[in-house]
Amino acid sequence: MRFAWLPTLAIVLLSTTQVVLAHDGPDPLARWRFDSESIVPQSDKAISLRARRGPDGTIVGKHQILGKKYDETLYFAGGESGVLLAENHKDAQKYLPTEHMTVSLVASIDQPQKWGGLIGVVQDNGKNESGWVVGYNEEVFTFALRGTEGTDRLTYLAGKTKYEKGKLYHVVATYDGKLMQLFVNGKLDAESNAQAGPIYYPEQTPFVLGAFCDSDEVNGHKGRIREIVLYDLAAKPAWVAHDFEHNANLTSLPAEEVQEPLDFVMKPYLQFGTQTSMTVMWRTNRPGSATLYYGETDECPQKIEVADAKEIHEIKIEGLEPETQYFYRTETRLKPEDEPLSSEVATFQTAVKRDTPFAFAVISDTQGNPKVSGTVGDYAWAQRPSFLLHAGDLVSTGKNESHWTQHFFPSMNPLMRHVPTFPVLGNHEQDAKFYYDYFSLPAPEYYYQFRFGNSDFFMIDSNRNVGPDSEQYKWLEKALSESDATWKFVCHHHPPYSSDENDYGNLWKTNKSTRGDLDARQLVPLYEKYNVDIVWNGHIHSYERTWPVRENKAVVAGAPVYMIVGGGGGNLETPGPVRPFFMNTVRRGHHYVMVRINGTKLEFQAYDIENRLFDEMVISKKTVSDN
């Protein structure tokens, strides 16, 4: 059955009212109006979107009703916002099309993104592609679908009509078992016959509105949605044109810039602390003037004001006393007379003097798993480190803004609001601008040095060239040669030594493996020449500690120890089947580590996701003992 009869019906009923037309067609599988009548509180925290037909959903994230009655729309604020209809689409299976489908919707886009979604039941992970989604990319509307008899991947239709931010559009996507079509404002915008047969659904994936969401990604919609209707029939172009007529008054309205209430995108956190300074950063959803209050009591009697209106706020406090506890809070205003957006009062301590003991946490590869990264971050904060060292892959996709604002910073804020974070770039950061915007580091930022207590830390970008003729190699050699620190540490993402099963050669199919990153291994002679104590790495999502290694041999003492601490959240990896010469301890599992330094003594401990100790080491400048 098709919508072929609808154009004829429309002609017959031209003399009747629009209400009759609206009710005289086929019943949809589901229909949602995004207005005040449809939004019902479920509890103190949960809010429901009641369907006109089909499944109700739970509204997630920040949202607001806009417009007057009969013209209301629901505005979603992006991030991880949207409407969850079913965590597993099979729980709402009777409302999903099987062989043919039509989606009709009215929506606006305020924030273009590579993978934007308005309604979907989709899985798009590498070769695992199935389901369907109607959404948009950075410029146009899109419709993706996979059939059982078409290609073995999703076919993504991208329209030709470039949308204007903030403007409402009528979008229709259809599939009749042979042909996919995408219409924008009543006109055909794209089509494809690459797919055929019934819709090929995933084994398990969420059913959502107002988001692109699969098993490992949530890209919430930022913009308005007026209505979404889902049919199990394929509409003809004449029906689409007629459906557009009912919404033409909305699509003819000028673009509307939605003014969200001032709020935090990222709450205040600390950067690059020294003995006499600390930098505080935060981001708001609208540009505003900023004031940082601080002092030695929670009244925070001193202040620094920045009048320039910005979204990303960065204020450096100078003239502080070494190893001293301070309090701070922030205020942001759109206008001087407005009520400020205020943060909670938090604390920090300036860096210690050379002869004072201190401790720090090391975490890596927090990417795309805020539940795990938040857990290990909270455990680390409970041990009161002086700072956090992060060995890269902070996020899954560095060029995806939501991975910073929704994954990394919210999960790590309980730790980062109290202690400064010193990161290096991983490959997943993609050298994205967000990294440089959200961290305040010495130029050129992708490599730098800092001193804490009696220790020097040398931070390297192992995604760039690190060979003997490279800028980083020459800088590192000079910096190491000039260091008079008791302890010398280096941090970069890729490990010179690793027993991983397949990153450097598949050890389940051959005995050939480089046993680590050969580019990063070019730095090893510098570590041995200038007596580096520990090299911190990530990239491999497991834990590994080597014996001291010199000239490619394990020694008892007096050589660098290499540690992979990639258990901050990424999908776990496994060591190979045999034990290489450098391996001391290896462990599969999420984790974090703590390092404690008192003069010439270093204590190291590693903790799992249950906060249980699983490895420890003590190094003295005279002896080394493993427990």
Side-chain angles (χ1 to χ4, degrees):
M1 186 176 182
R2 301 289 190 272
F3 278 2
W5 50 271
L6 280 178
T8 304
L9 178 64
I11 293 172
V12 172
L13 297 177
L14 281 177
S15 62
T16 63
T17 66
Q18 288 187 349
V19 174
V20 173
L21 277 174
H23 287 279
D24 213 20
D27 289 332
L29 286 170
R31 181 176 185 173
W32 302 271
R33 283 293 297 271
F34 295 75
D35 57 16
S36 54
E37 291 184 3
S38 303
I39 297 174
V40 180
Q42 292 177 328
S43 63
D44 291 340
K45 295 182 179 180
I47 299 175
S48 174
L49 176 71
R50 293 286 176 85
R52 296 291 200 272
R53 186 182 182 92
D56 297 339
T58 299
I59 300 177
V60 179
K62 297 174 183 177
H63 58 277
Q64 57 180 308
I65 290 289
L66 299 176
K68 298 179 181 179
K69 193 172 183 180
Y70 305 119
D71 288 324
E72 289 178 330
T73 58
L74 186 62
Y75 177 81
F76 294 92
E80 291 193 347
S81 62
V83 179
L84 179 63
L85 301 173
E87 292 187 10
N88 183 352
H89 71 285
K90 292 181 180 179
D91 295 334
Q93 192 167 356
K94 67 179 181 179
Y95 301 111
L96 293 173
T98 54
E99 297 184 359
H100 315 132
M101 67 173 290
T102 294
V103 171
S104 173
L105 61 87
V106 176
S108 70
I109 300 166
D110 281 19
Q111 179 178 290
Q113 51 185 325
K114 186 176 181 180
W115 308 108
L118 296 167
I119 176 173
V121 181
V122 68
Q123 195 64 249
D124 189 0
N125 296 323
K127 295 182 179 180
N128 182 14
E129 297 187 11
S130 52
W132 57 269
V133 59
V134 181
Y136 52 91
N137 59 26
E138 293 98 330
E139 296 184 330
V140 299
F141 290 98
T142 61
F143 173 36
L145 180 142
R146 179 182 172 186
T148 57
E149 300 170 16
T151 65
D152 60 356
R153 309 291 289 271
L154 288 163
T155 293
Y156 273 90
L157 285 184
K160 301 180 182 66
T161 303
K162 293 187 177 181
Y163 57 76
E164 180 182 353
K165 288 196 296 184
K167 187 174 177 62
L168 287 167
Y169 289 85
H170 175 258
V171 179
V172 174
T174 71
Y175 175 64
D176 66 0
K178 295 180 180 179
L179 181 68
M180 295 171 60
Q181 292 186 311
L182 178 67
F183 300 82
V184 177
N185 286 349
K187 297 181 179 179
L188 181 64
D189 220 35
E191 63 180 2
S192 171
N193 59 5
Q195 297 294 339
I199 298 169
Y200 187 88
Y201 277 100
E203 282 296 316
Q204 181 172 334
T205 201
F207 183 15
V208 298
L209 308 175
F212 184 103
C213 177
D214 61 13
S215 62
D216 67 350
E217 187 170 16
V218 178
N219 297 326
H221 175 59
K222 186 172 184 178
R224 293 175 287 161
I225 302 180
R226 158 78 168 177
E227 182 177 54
I228 298 178
V229 190
L230 177 63
Y231 300 89
D232 60 353
L233 304 168
K236 296 296 185 181
W239 183 91
V240 175
H242 182 73
D243 194 49
F244 168 63
E245 291 176 7
H246 291 288
N247 297 283
N249 62 321
L250 294 171
T251 59
S252 64
L253 295 174
E256 179 180 341
E257 182 181 359
V258 177
Q259 295 295 327
E260 300 176 72
L262 183 63
D263 202 356
F264 288 109
V265 176
M266 299 181 315
K267 294 181 179 180
Y269 58 97
L270 301 174
Q271 281 289 281
F272 210 82
T274 72
Q275 288 187 356
T276 59
S277 67
M278 183 67 72
T279 297
V280 180
M281 297 187 69
W282 70 101
R283 181 181 168 188
T284 49
N285 60 347
R286 297 173 63 185
S289 60
T291 304
L292 174 65
Y293 295 87
Y294 69 98
E296 295 189 30
T297 69
D298 63 353
E299 295 180 351
C300 303
Q302 297 172 270
K303 67 179 180 179
I304 302 173
E305 296 179 296
V306 178
D308 295 342
K310 299 178 180 179
E311 286 188 6
I312 300 175
H313 308 276
E314 179 180 338
I315 299 179
K316 184 178 182 179
I317 311 172
E318 299 183 282
L320 303 175
E321 294 296 320
E323 54 186 65
T324 300
Q325 177 181 336
Y326 288 91
F327 297 80
Y328 76 96
R329 64 179 181 88
T330 68
E331 288 186 354
T332 313
R333 284 182 169 86
L334 298 176
K335 298 177 182 179
E337 63 271 20
D338 289 345
E339 283 293 317
L341 172 67
S342 300
S343 72
E344 301 176 60
V345 175
T347 62
F348 66 82
Q349 184 182 42
T350 46
V352 301
K353 299 175 183 178
R354 183 160 186 150
D355 58 353
T356 301
F358 67 97
F360 61 96
V362 190
I363 299 174
S364 186
D365 296 78
T366 45
Q367 59 188 64
N369 197 337
K371 182 177 181 180
V372 171
S373 60
T375 298
V376 296
D378 289 348
Y379 285 149
W381 164 236
Q383 300 218 34
R384 297 301 188 263
S386 303
F387 60 89
L388 169 65
L389 197 71
H390 198 298
D393 277 5
L394 295 86
V395 296
S396 289
T397 308
K399 293 182 180 179
N400 187 324
E401 184 178 13
S402 69
H403 288 192
W404 297 94
T405 60
Q406 300 297 320
H407 296 172
F408 178 75
F409 281 99
S411 70
M412 298 295 286
N413 186 265
L415 173 62
M416 295 176 64
R417 68 194 292 255
H418 291 291
V419 303
T421 298
F422 297 90
V424 295
L425 283 155
N427 52 294
H428 278 268
E429 272 69 72
Q430 302 174 325
D431 202 33
K433 184 176 182 293
F434 295 121
Y435 178 87
Y436 299 93
D437 287 344
Y438 296 153
F439 292 99
S440 179
L441 304 169
E445 297 191 72
Y446 61 87
Y447 69 84
Y448 61 98
Q449 176 183 356
F450 69 96
R451 165 64 69 91
F452 204 99
N454 64 356
S455 303
D456 272 343
F457 296 79
F458 306 89
M459 315 294 281
I460 295 292
D461 180 9
S462 56
N463 300 280
R464 287 178 166 85
N465 188 5
V466 292
D469 294 330
S470 69
E471 177 184 358
Q472 290 192 95
Y473 188 101
K474 294 175 181 177
W475 170 84
L476 181 60
E477 180 163 29
K478 183 175 185 296
L480 285 170
S481 67
E482 293 175 350
S483 174
D484 63 352
T486 304
W487 299 93
K488 298 177 186 178
F489 305 109
V490 177
C491 182
H492 50 76
H493 186 60
H494 297 88
Y497 296 97
S498 168
S499 65
D500 182 72
E501 63 181 353
N502 56 20
D503 272 46
Y504 304 105
N506 192 331
L507 290 169
W508 296 102
K509 294 184 177 181
T510 174
N511 64 359
K512 305 299 181 185
S513 171
T514 60
R515 301 288 190 179
D517 189 280
L518 295 184
D519 286 335
R521 201 174 292 175
Q522 296 177 93
L523 296 168
V524 166
L526 291 182
Y527 305 155
E528 295 176 1
K529 180 179 180 180
Y530 295 105
N531 301 315
V532 169
D533 296 288
I534 298 177
V535 180
W536 306 102
N537 307 122
H539 194 58
I540 305 301
H541 298 172
S542 65
Y543 172 84
E544 183 162 12
R545 173 167 63 89
T546 74
W547 291 104
V549 176
R550 180 174 295 279
E551 296 181 352
N552 216 36
K553 294 182 180 180
V555 296
V556 175
V561 173
Y562 298 84
M563 292 194 186
I564 297 172
V565 289
N571 293 330
L572 295 171
E573 298 182 79
T574 304
V578 298
R579 187 179 190 90
F581 76 89
F582 52 78
M583 182 199 293
N584 180 296
T585 302
V586 68
R587 190 177 192 276
R588 186 182 191 273
H590 291 117
H591 61 273
Y592 73 99
V593 305
M594 289 293 300
V595 184
R596 304 172 182 86
I597 293 175
N598 183 2
T600 59
K601 185 176 184 179
L602 178 150
E603 295 180 352
F604 164 88
Q605 293 181 322
Y607 300 85
D608 67 14
I609 192 64
E610 303 295 334
N611 211 24
R612 296 172 299 199
L613 178 68
F614 67 84
D615 188 31
E616 59 184 329
M617 171 181 68
V618 176
I619 302 177
S620 163
K621 285 302 176 178
K622 295 181 181 180
T623 63
V624 178
S625 63
D626 291 358
N627 298 311

